[in-house]
Amino acid sequence: MTRKTYTLGFSPCPNDTFIFDALVHGRIETHDLTPEVTLADVETLNRWAVEGKLDVTKLSYHAYAHVCNEYIMLDSGSALGRNCGPLVITADIKSLNRKPRSEWKVAIPGNRTTAHFLFSLAYPEVITKEEMVFSDIEDAVVKGSVDAGVIIHENRFTYAEKGLEKLSDLGEFWEESTGMPIPLGGIAARRSLGKEVLMQIRNAIRDSVDYAMEHPADCNPYVRLHAQEMSETVQRQHIALYVNDFSRELGPEGRRAVEHMFGKGNELGLWSPCEELFIP
């Protein structure tokens, strides 16, 4: 079989580099498919998905709702679970609550992120939102350029060190409202690749997750390479929070959670229905 290449994008966050290490470095069977890898922050990946830049990409489930005619969600590689949702932080909860929510200015990690979707459900009164790279949100709240911020990834482990307070946990809001795990991000691939190739890539990602879980030390150099400003303790916390059985395979519970989220977005008119979310 002729070896084929495909473009693959994921974030430099520890959960993604942990998941994809074995695939990227040929530690598992790749079915004669070779990834050409690009790393970028999640909102850049979301934007590229809208532009159709990559064959296979990590993206927010919110962003997937806007590209599902061109892409289909793979069953492996997702960030989905419980007690792992975005947080809303502020410098002073009492001062913030004295202002009407309609006057709040809140930093979000991208318009198409699942974090923004959840924030909009929990705080529909907030009108003024400023998009910024997720890693800049804490400092924006500290400096007072925004009243609050929606944080994701490793920032949930560091905001308290900067004197910031947690206003709410959007993951808890979702879980209490639905009883389901929260779909944060997943791996989508071009539908035009065809079912055979899609399944091969899905299987390779699943095998890469299995390898990482069984040989975590092998993945450490790749994780550290792209998380240079993050302590190893935070790296391990990050991986433990976002890599789980749903990362290996969504399964019925994970699929139901994604379908529920998409149904909610449809009800609110946030996106158009998508009849086929996953590979049949």
Side-chain angles (χ1 to χ4, degrees):
M1 178 177 176
T2 304
R3 182 164 290 275
K4 300 178 182 178
T5 62
Y6 63 96
T7 52
L8 168 65
F10 52 88
S11 83
C13 294
N15 61 308
D16 281 352
T17 50
F18 181 80
I19 283 174
F20 283 101
D21 169 76
L23 189 156
V24 170
H25 295 105
R27 305 186 203 278
I28 49 94
E29 173 60 57
T30 59
H31 308 283
D32 292 313
L33 295 168
T34 302
E36 296 177 353
V37 176
T38 300
L39 274 65
D41 70 272
V42 66
E43 185 58 9
T44 297
L45 293 169
N46 288 342
R47 187 178 70 252
W48 286 351
V50 172
E51 297 169 359
K53 181 173 180 177
L54 299 169
D55 295 322
V56 182
T57 184
K58 174 71 174 284
L59 78 175
S60 301
Y61 273 104
H62 184 183
Y64 176 50
H66 297 279
V67 299
C68 66
N69 288 329
E70 300 297 328
Y71 288 86
I72 194 163
M73 186 62 61
L74 303 184
D75 208 40
S76 300
S78 282
L80 184 147
R82 300 182 186 275
N83 303 312
C84 62
L87 306 179
V88 183
I89 59 166
T90 186
D92 189 330
I93 291 177
K94 291 182 179 179
S95 296
L96 181 65
N97 283 333
R98 284 196 288 267
K99 294 178 65 174
R101 289 184 177 180
S102 59
E103 296 179 8
W104 290 6
K105 182 179 181 181
V106 179
I108 59 171
N111 187 56
R112 297 186 182 92
T113 58
T114 302
H116 180 218
F117 169 74
L118 293 171
F119 180 78
S120 298
L121 292 182
Y123 297 90
E125 311 92 335
V126 176
I127 300 169
T128 305
K129 304 167 190 176
E130 183 174 342
E131 293 185 62
M132 57 182 67
V133 177
F134 77 91
S135 54
D136 294 338
I137 291 178
E138 283 181 341
D139 288 340
V141 178
V142 169
K143 293 174 183 176
S145 57
V146 293
D147 298 306
V150 182
I151 58 170
I152 58 177
H153 301 323
E154 64 271 10
N155 293 122
R156 65 181 293 127
F157 303 117
T158 59
Y159 72 91
E161 298 172 2
K162 299 184 179 181
L164 301 174
E165 301 176 347
K166 180 179 73 173
L167 177 66
S168 65
D169 184 322
L170 296 176
E172 290 180 1
F173 165 80
W174 172 264
E175 291 167 39
E176 290 170 2
S177 301
T178 68
M180 297 180 178
I182 179 173
L184 297 170
I187 309 299
R190 291 188 197 279
R191 293 176 183 267
S192 60
L193 291 173
K195 186 173 181 179
E196 181 180 356
V197 172
L198 290 170
M199 294 298 289
Q200 288 174 340
I201 295 172
R202 190 284 306 270
N203 292 343
I205 295 172
R206 183 189 59 200
D207 292 347
S208 191
V209 174
D210 285 343
Y211 186 96
M213 289 180 167
E214 294 169 9
H215 308 90
D218 290 357
C219 305
N220 286 342
Y222 193 52
V223 172
R224 283 196 300 268
L225 176 65
H226 296 287
Q228 294 178 352
E229 298 180 8
M230 194 189 309
S231 72
E232 290 195 18
T233 297
V234 172
Q235 290 172 30
R236 288 193 296 270
Q237 290 174 317
H238 185 116
I239 293 167
L241 188 66
Y242 296 112
V243 182
N244 51 41
D245 289 342
F246 291 118
S247 304
R248 184 183 187 276
E249 186 174 357
L250 283 172
E253 185 181 16
R255 289 188 175 214
R256 281 195 300 270
V258 175
E259 289 164 354
H260 183 82
M261 176 182 171
F262 272 63
K264 186 66 174 178
N266 294 340
E267 289 176 14
L268 297 173
L270 298 178
W271 50 67
S272 300
C274 183
E275 294 183 2
E276 188 181 59
L277 296 174
F278 309 99
I279 302 173

